[in-house]
Amino acid sequence: MANSMMDQDILRVLHSEEEIHARVQELGSQIYEEFKDRNPLFVGVLKGCFLFMADIIRACQIKSEIEFIAVSSYGNARESSGNVQITRDLGHDITGRDLIVVEDILDSGNTLYFLTQYFMTKGAASVTIVTLFDKPERREKPIKADYVGFQVPNEFIVGYGLDYRQQYRNLPYVGVLKPEIYE
Ligand code: 5GP
Ligand code: MG
């Protein structure tokens, strides 16, 4: 693989490409078992979800549809503001649908708390949350994911879709950024 200078900015790798792949296959099987007799709508939360979304839907071969929603709460900072705004709305009517919300990381819970309420207001029959990463100790809102890939420590991570200032999303693994990058 063509390698860039990005690796130099990583303090340590938390989960390798192989580990992520294996865990996504497991999650896909579990979700398959729960939803195989239904016709769920996968809703990815942009942009961080895009690689995880692509992998989880292929790891879960059920008749389903996909949608995306984009929210902003961060700007370019490393902490969410709690003020979540929809910057790109769903293109589907979700009335009566079983939603599987696909998120990169659950941190304060502000984003998914807001989105769960939004989807229920829009008439969703159910909302199931799938997050690849979870930082439970950071929670500010009462929200719990139904499926979690990995619990991660309270550190800022990048890669496999997750960014710092829109960069590092294309790293195939997930790692902790060197503090000097954002200091
Ligand atoms: P929450 O609303 O739960 O605080 O934050 C959720 C969003 O914050 C995630 O979808 C993600 O975009 C961003 N986020 C939270 N923690 C991290 C992190 O460690 N690294 C990156 N790159 N984004 C994070
Ligand atoms: Mg996100």
Side-chain angles (χ1 to χ4, degrees), residues 45-46 48 103-104:
V45 185
L46 290 171
E103 172 67 299
D104 51 1

Side-chain angles (χ1 to χ4, degrees), residues 43-46 66-72 85-92 115 118-119:
V43 179
V45 185
L46 290 171
I66 68 166
E67 257 301 329
F68 291 97
I69 192 164
V71 296
S72 81
Q85 283 172 348
I86 295 174
T87 55
R88 179 210 184 271
D89 207 346
L90 299 167
H92 250 77
L115 283 177
Y118 178 71
F119 294 142

Side-chain angles (χ1 to χ4, degrees), residues 13-142:
V13 176
L14 263 188
H15 295 290
S16 68
E17 184 175 5
E18 294 73 24
E19 241 183 301
I20 294 170
H21 177 78
R23 186 68 184 122
V24 173
Q25 300 309 304
E26 286 175 0
L27 290 176
S29 306
Q30 291 168 10
I31 297 167
Y32 177 87
E33 286 306 319
E34 182 177 344
F35 285 92
K36 62 182 178 225
D37 302 322
R38 291 191 261 170
N39 174 221
L41 176 65
F42 285 90
V43 179
V45 185
L46 290 171
K47 298 175 191 168
C49 77
F50 78 111
L51 292 178
F52 181 39
M53 182 77 160
D55 288 341
I56 195 86
I57 60 168
R58 286 178 293 175
C60 186
Q61 292 289 311
I62 39 180
K63 256 192 194 172
S64 55
E65 288 127 56
I66 68 166
E67 257 301 329
F68 291 97
I69 192 164
V71 296
S72 81
S73 69
Y74 265 56
N76 275 333
R78 287 180 298 123
E79 304 240 317
S80 89
S81 64
N83 174 22
V84 184
Q85 283 172 348
I86 295 174
T87 55
R88 179 210 184 271
D89 207 346
L90 299 167
H92 250 77
D93 179 12
I94 60 168
T95 310
R97 298 299 305 267
D98 295 311
L99 304 193
I100 302 176
V101 180
V102 178
E103 172 67 299
D104 51 1
I105 183 164
L106 176 52
D107 186 30
S108 70
N110 285 321
T111 306
L112 283 172
Y113 184 77
F114 170 85
L115 283 177
T116 302
Q117 289 191 324
Y118 178 71
F119 294 142
M120 295 313 286
T121 310
K122 289 267 174 184
S126 66
V127 175
T128 298
I129 294 174
V130 184
T131 187
L132 186 55
F133 301 107
D134 186 13
K135 288 182 189 165
E137 52 189 282
R138 297 256 308 163
R139 207 74 87 247
E140 293 167 14
K141 291 280 172 20

